[in-house]
């Protein structure tokens, strides 16, 4: 579940609540950063899987496509 927190001409910030498995898409228009603010889990992109915990930040390149989030965590997503 992705909920937009703020948006303007320059960026969009949203909260993604992950409880189990969830997917988000990173389109061709912008990279995305993902910061874990609570809990832990993992993110999978292009057959690479990274373990994440509170305080971790990862970047997904523009055009990365569908990312799989798994675990029990709250993630803040920022994109241009």
């Amino acid at each position: 579940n992705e909920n937009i927190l703020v948006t303007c001409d320059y960026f969009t910030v949203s909260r993604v609540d992950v409880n189990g498995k969830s997917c988000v898409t990173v389109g061709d228009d912008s990279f995305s950063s993902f910061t874990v603010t609570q809990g832990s889990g993992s993110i999978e992109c292009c057959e690479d899987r990274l373990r994440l915990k509170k305080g971790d930040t990862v970047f997904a390149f523009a055009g990365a496509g569908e990312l799989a989030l798994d675990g029990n965590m709250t993630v803040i997503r920022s994109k241009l």
Side-chain angles (χ1 to χ4, degrees), residues 3-63:
N3 299 301
I4 293 176
L5 300 174
V6 67
T7 190
C8 68
D9 292 339
Y10 304 105
F11 61 87
T12 299
V13 177
S14 57
R15 185 184 73 231
V16 183
D17 294 313
V18 180
N19 293 302
K21 294 189 178 191
S22 183
C23 292
V24 295
T25 300
V26 179
D28 294 330
D29 57 332
S30 174
F31 71 90
S32 288
S33 69
F34 298 89
T35 301
V36 180
T37 59
Q38 293 180 352
S40 64
S42 64
I43 188 169
E44 186 173 345
C45 176
C46 304
E47 299 181 19
D48 290 323
R49 186 178 193 91
L50 296 172
R51 299 282 306 150
L52 301 173
K53 65 183 181 316
K54 183 178 177 178
D56 288 344
T57 298
V58 296
F59 290 86
F61 58 89

Side-chain angles (χ1 to χ4, degrees), residues 63-77:
E66 190 172 279
L67 305 180
L69 301 169
D70 192 11
N72 187 7
M73 58 185 170
T74 300
V75 178
I76 300 298
R77 177 186 185 180

